[in-house]
Amino acid sequence: MRVLEGKSGVWYLGPGSTVLMPKRFHEDGRLTAEGRAELARQGVEQPKPASRYSLTVVTSTACNLGCPYCFQNTEAALPGRFDPPRIAREVLDGAMIDKIAAFTEPRLRATGLDRLFVLLFGGEPLLNRWGCVELLKRLSQLAPLTASMVSNGVLLTPRVAGKLEAVGLRSVQITLDGPKELHDGTRFTRAGRGTFDKVLANCAAVQESTGLRLSLRLNTTAEGLPLLGGLVADLAERLDASRCNLDIAPVLNYDGMFDPVMKRSADDVDVLLRAYADALESGFSVGWPGGSACGFCGERDGGTGAVINADGTLYSCWETIGKPGYEVGSVEDGYQEYPADRWVSCGEFAVSATTAAQSQAFDDALTVGLLEMLRTRRRRLAAVEAAERTGAEKADRTAAPAAGPLAVTGS
């Protein structure tokens, strides 16, 4: 559990929930007896039971982009080229879809859950559009299904989005690496062409033709940090912000292949918080930070979910997909015995530019700043809604006729 002191009190982020408590509950760095009782009452330290079984399925390990920081690159691209070597090429086919369904059904029943969540992943999942559609069709025969997808957006046309929405897709995560001049320098095709305008044009067209929600992930480097405000304003002009979630993610240096990462200083925190404030004022939704574990790698051996490569190999986390030596089983044989260090969680391969203490201080400052911002905004919106209700009630009373004798007329 994380304990963070903010302006409004002390924030407790546990696997069960996030709560704000008065500072009197936390003295000399420790919870008081009253504080412990309150945390127990609110169930902060008890993980919430899973509400659905979660699958990440790779439909294609290939990708149409050559992002230099991708954790699926096996080494850097040669000088002057835009196509870094990647993990082994695999494509999801019909036979493997049936095997995934056969793997999933008994585990779904064993958990007592009656809903599925499916994350379509790659590579670029839309390089195998058929596999995306057929997988969702097949899995929807097991239980009611909701799906999301992580895509670079280059192939996300209204026609493709409509087909996927019809079989359960509800949201798509799209990543941007800053404004056009920066994005096109890192998220380029494997022939070196920029993608910024194409991606945003596709997103706008998909919003016009479908009900899909977009989750915008703004990857941020030291160079892109001072440009975040302008990027948020540009996105608000091009897209319907009310149908977008927005998250800002400092780029990680996976396996030491990408150096221009943020220094994670106190000044960096201030810039990020200003960008989040701009996003909220523009109408974007921003999620509350929490302390719950990942639904995929947070529990060993597929207790609440599984990560499956296109060839049916099981991994602990999408960051290990295709990495030799990190296999933990297969859909045919289930989870196998493996060394404890093979179960990897999100971010473990990243090479930090700062010490562990500096990184933790940065994460804590950003988290508590965002919590305080979201709390203030929620209270302000609640006050506005209350004032509007009061005004409406007064107007109703003014417009209503005065009570008096009932007049009865007849023919």
Side-chain angles (χ1 to χ4, degrees), residues 3-6 8-12 19-26:
V3 181
L4 304 175
E5 185 168 340
S8 305
V10 181
W11 293 92
Y12 294 84
V19 299
L20 175 66
M21 299 212 299
K23 292 183 179 180
R24 70 175 186 276
F25 286 171
H26 195 81

Side-chain angles (χ1 to χ4, degrees), residues 25-168:
F25 286 171
H26 195 81
E27 296 178 355
D28 299 325
R30 303 180 65 180
L31 272 171
T32 65
E34 188 180 8
R36 288 193 297 273
E38 181 62 19
L39 285 187
R41 186 186 71 80
Q42 299 204 34
V44 175
E45 297 181 276
Q46 297 301 317
K48 288 184 178 178
S51 61
R52 57 193 184 180
Y53 193 78
S54 300
L55 291 175
T56 291
V57 181
V58 175
T59 62
S60 172
T61 58
C63 189
N64 50 339
L65 301 191
C67 309
Y69 54 77
C70 181
F71 54 76
Q72 291 180 345
N73 294 342
T74 56
E75 55 185 282
L78 294 173
R81 295 186 64 90
F82 306 93
D83 55 348
R86 292 179 48 80
I87 58 176
R89 184 180 293 260
E90 303 287 350
V91 180
L92 183 69
D93 60 21
M96 186 53 64
I97 288 173
D98 288 339
K99 291 178 181 179
I100 290 173
F103 166 87
T104 302
E105 185 169 19
R107 286 165 176 79
L108 177 68
R109 306 304 171 217
T111 62
L113 300 172
D114 59 3
R115 290 193 296 148
L116 275 173
F117 172 75
V118 180
L119 178 65
L120 301 173
F121 203 73
E124 169 51 46
L126 291 180
L127 286 173
N128 183 6
R129 295 184 287 276
W130 178 90
C132 292
V133 171
E134 293 303 313
L135 176 72
L136 297 186
K137 283 183 179 178
R138 181 66 180 88
L139 292 178
S140 67
Q141 297 172 11
L142 304 181
L145 173 150
T146 300
S148 184
M149 177 170 62
V150 176
S151 171
N152 56 48
V154 173
L155 302 175
L156 186 67
T157 64
R159 181 171 177 269
V160 169
K163 285 187 174 182
L164 287 167
E165 185 180 31
V167 291

Side-chain angles (χ1 to χ4, degrees), residues 119-376:
L119 178 65
L120 301 173
F121 203 73
E124 169 51 46
L126 291 180
L127 286 173
N128 183 6
R129 295 184 287 276
W130 178 90
C132 292
V133 171
E134 293 303 313
L135 176 72
L136 297 186
K137 283 183 179 178
R138 181 66 180 88
L139 292 178
S140 67
Q141 297 172 11
L142 304 181
L145 173 150
T146 300
S148 184
M149 177 170 62
V150 176
S151 171
N152 56 48
V154 173
L155 302 175
L156 186 67
T157 64
R159 181 171 177 269
V160 169
K163 285 187 174 182
L164 287 167
E165 185 180 31
V167 291
L169 188 71
R170 295 295 175 262
S171 64
V172 183
Q173 177 180 297
I174 300 291
T175 299
L176 299 165
D177 282 5
K180 178 180 172 64
E181 62 271 21
L182 292 185
H183 176 100
D184 286 349
T186 51
R187 294 186 75 81
F188 36 70
T189 69
R190 297 180 75 80
R193 291 188 294 273
T195 60
F196 185 83
D197 290 330
K198 176 68 172 176
V199 169
L200 287 185
N202 283 350
C203 288
V206 165
Q207 283 192 321
E208 290 179 2
S209 62
T210 74
L212 293 180
R213 189 165 186 85
L214 299 178
S215 293
L216 304 177
R217 177 186 172 96
L218 308 187
N219 276 354
T220 305
T221 62
E223 188 178 8
L225 191 63
L227 306 177
L228 271 175
L231 175 60
V232 170
D234 187 23
L235 295 176
E237 287 185 4
R238 294 179 183 234
L239 302 175
D240 179 356
S242 68
R243 293 172 54 198
C244 296
N245 300 331
L246 187 143
D247 181 45
I248 302 172
V251 171
L252 299 178
N253 184 8
Y254 284 100
D255 292 326
M257 289 190 288
F258 188 76
D259 291 331
V261 294
M262 289 169 45
K263 299 304 181 186
R264 296 179 173 240
S265 66
D267 289 340
D268 291 349
V269 171
D270 291 339
V271 175
L272 291 171
L273 289 175
R274 284 198 298 272
Y276 273 123
D278 291 342
L280 288 168
E281 289 303 315
S282 297
F284 292 101
S285 295
V286 174
W288 286 76
S292 58
C294 173
F296 303 101
C297 58
E299 186 172 340
R300 287 180 179 266
D301 297 346
T304 56
V307 176
I308 308 172
N309 198 4
D311 64 351
T313 304
L314 299 172
Y315 294 87
S316 66
C317 177
W318 50 60
E319 291 185 8
T320 58
I321 291 169
K323 288 184 179 291
Y326 286 92
E327 306 86 351
V328 295
S330 69
V331 292
E332 293 96 333
D333 302 322
Y335 289 91
Q336 306 296 303
E337 291 187 8
Y338 52 85
D341 61 0
R342 191 175 292 182
W343 193 271
V344 174
S345 296
C346 307
E348 289 192 23
F349 290 109
V351 177
S352 179
T354 60
T355 66
Q358 288 172 321
S359 292
Q360 189 63 60
F362 170 87
D363 290 342
D364 288 349
L366 182 58
T367 297
V368 76
L370 189 52
L371 286 168
E372 293 283 351
M373 180 188 300
L374 292 171
R375 175 180 181 269
T376 299

